[in-house]
Amino acid sequence: MNLFGRIAVLVQKHSTFAHLPYLEECCNSLSRANEYQYDKYISHIIRLQFIAEKIDSFAAKHGIELEHPGSGSELYITNLKSELEGFHHQLPFDLNESRMLKQSMYTGGTILTLTALLATQYHATGLTLYQVSLTIPNQHPQPRSMTFCSWRDEITLAAQISANAILTKYIGFPPGEEYGFNNTQWVQMAFALLVSYRHTVTTSKPEQKAALFHTLSQVRLRVGALSTPHVDVNGA
């Protein structure tokens, strides 16, 4: 359901699975029953998808207003950012616990996949919010107001953290995991690369640039390994 909803957001279509109280209660029931180890993630995946759809709905309904100063868009985006951060802080487990499960992936592959999916989608949702915020012009270009500067800087910093997290998780996946990636995941990867590159090349800190180039090198090696004579001849 989360995948269908994410694709719907990406291609600007209505999600097949609307966020309904009944659906949320069903997810909570599965979590309380705890019949399977990964049931605890379902309600959180649905809640995260709901936040992503709120961001998309806001952009679709108020896209023109975003370009006009004084529309109050900054406040709404700030509230969405707070809601997304609240989702993270209220999780009853570590969002990055997939790293700890990596060693036991052969016995807990499903759990690894769900935690990695939830973490990646959390950061992808943060990038979506950042993308929407780029539409809002600076109301005080000369000089910038401290309020706008702080608001923009906070969104930018959060986006950079999310982009780096997505790339780090991709590099940490088991070899060949990306053979199962769909178009949505590749688009998310590409945007993460763009955001990370955009904000790192402008920095004056050599260590940040070195870290980015190291990450790009690792990503290039992984993507390059997907193309082999066997795959080229027989297809994916």
Side-chain angles (χ1 to χ4, degrees):
M1 290 182 289
N2 178 264
L3 178 59
F4 292 153
R6 172 59 60 184
I7 293 175
V9 168
L10 183 68
V11 300
Q12 301 290 303
K13 293 182 179 179
H14 292 294
S15 176
T16 305
F17 296 92
H19 186 274
L20 301 172
Y22 173 74
L23 178 60
E24 187 173 359
E25 180 56 35
C26 288
C27 294
N28 291 333
S29 296
L30 288 173
S31 181
R32 288 191 297 267
N34 198 28
E35 183 177 358
Y36 299 99
Q37 296 183 59
Y38 46 81
D39 284 348
K40 67 177 182 178
Y41 301 101
I42 298 178
S43 61
H44 304 294
I45 292 175
I46 296 300
R47 183 185 170 197
L48 179 58
Q49 179 60 37
F50 179 53
I51 297 175
E53 291 178 4
K54 286 176 66 175
I55 296 173
D56 179 67
S57 177
F58 170 71
K61 294 180 180 179
H62 304 282
I64 298 179
E65 297 176 16
L66 291 173
E67 301 176 6
H68 299 286
S71 64
S73 301
E74 300 97 327
L75 178 60
Y76 194 83
I77 289 181
T78 299
N79 290 337
L80 287 171
K81 179 176 178 291
S82 298
E83 184 175 356
L84 186 60
E85 292 174 345
F87 163 82
H88 184 193
H89 295 150
Q90 293 171 13
L91 288 174
F93 50 83
D94 183 3
L95 191 62
N96 297 313
E97 68 180 17
S98 58
R99 296 176 182 175
M100 297 181 286
L101 291 170
K102 186 176 179 180
Q103 297 300 324
S104 59
M105 66 180 184
Y106 294 108
T107 58
T110 303
I111 297 178
L112 172 64
T113 301
L114 282 175
T115 52
L117 170 66
L118 185 60
T120 301
Q121 294 308 311
Y122 167 76
H123 293 299
T125 302
L127 289 183
T128 301
L129 185 59
Y130 168 70
Q131 186 177 19
V132 173
S133 73
L134 292 177
T135 311
I136 301 177
N138 187 350
Q139 299 183 34
H140 308 279
Q142 294 295 335
R144 294 196 304 171
S145 69
M146 291 302 296
T147 300
F148 183 88
C149 181
S150 175
W151 174 84
R152 178 70 74 191
D153 289 346
E154 286 182 7
I155 291 288
T156 299
L157 177 61
Q160 192 168 5
I161 292 174
S162 293
N164 292 337
I166 289 176
L167 296 176
T168 299
K169 285 191 172 298
Y170 169 64
I171 294 172
F173 281 153
E177 183 78 9
E178 55 268 76
Y179 281 119
F181 279 13
N182 55 58
N183 290 340
T184 304
Q185 290 168 295
W186 284 117
V187 170
Q188 290 172 351
M189 278 283 300
F191 189 58
L193 280 170
L194 178 63
V195 171
S196 184
Y197 180 82
R198 175 183 179 184
H199 294 293
T200 303
V201 294
T202 58
T203 183
S204 58
K205 298 180 179 180
E207 61 273 17
Q208 290 187 12
K209 292 182 179 180
L212 172 64
F213 293 144
H214 177 66
T215 298
L216 292 176
S217 176
Q218 291 181 294
V219 171
R220 182 182 64 82
L221 289 174
R222 287 204 59 143
V223 174
L226 297 177
S227 178
T228 65
H230 175 74
V231 172
D232 291 342
V233 172
N234 299 287

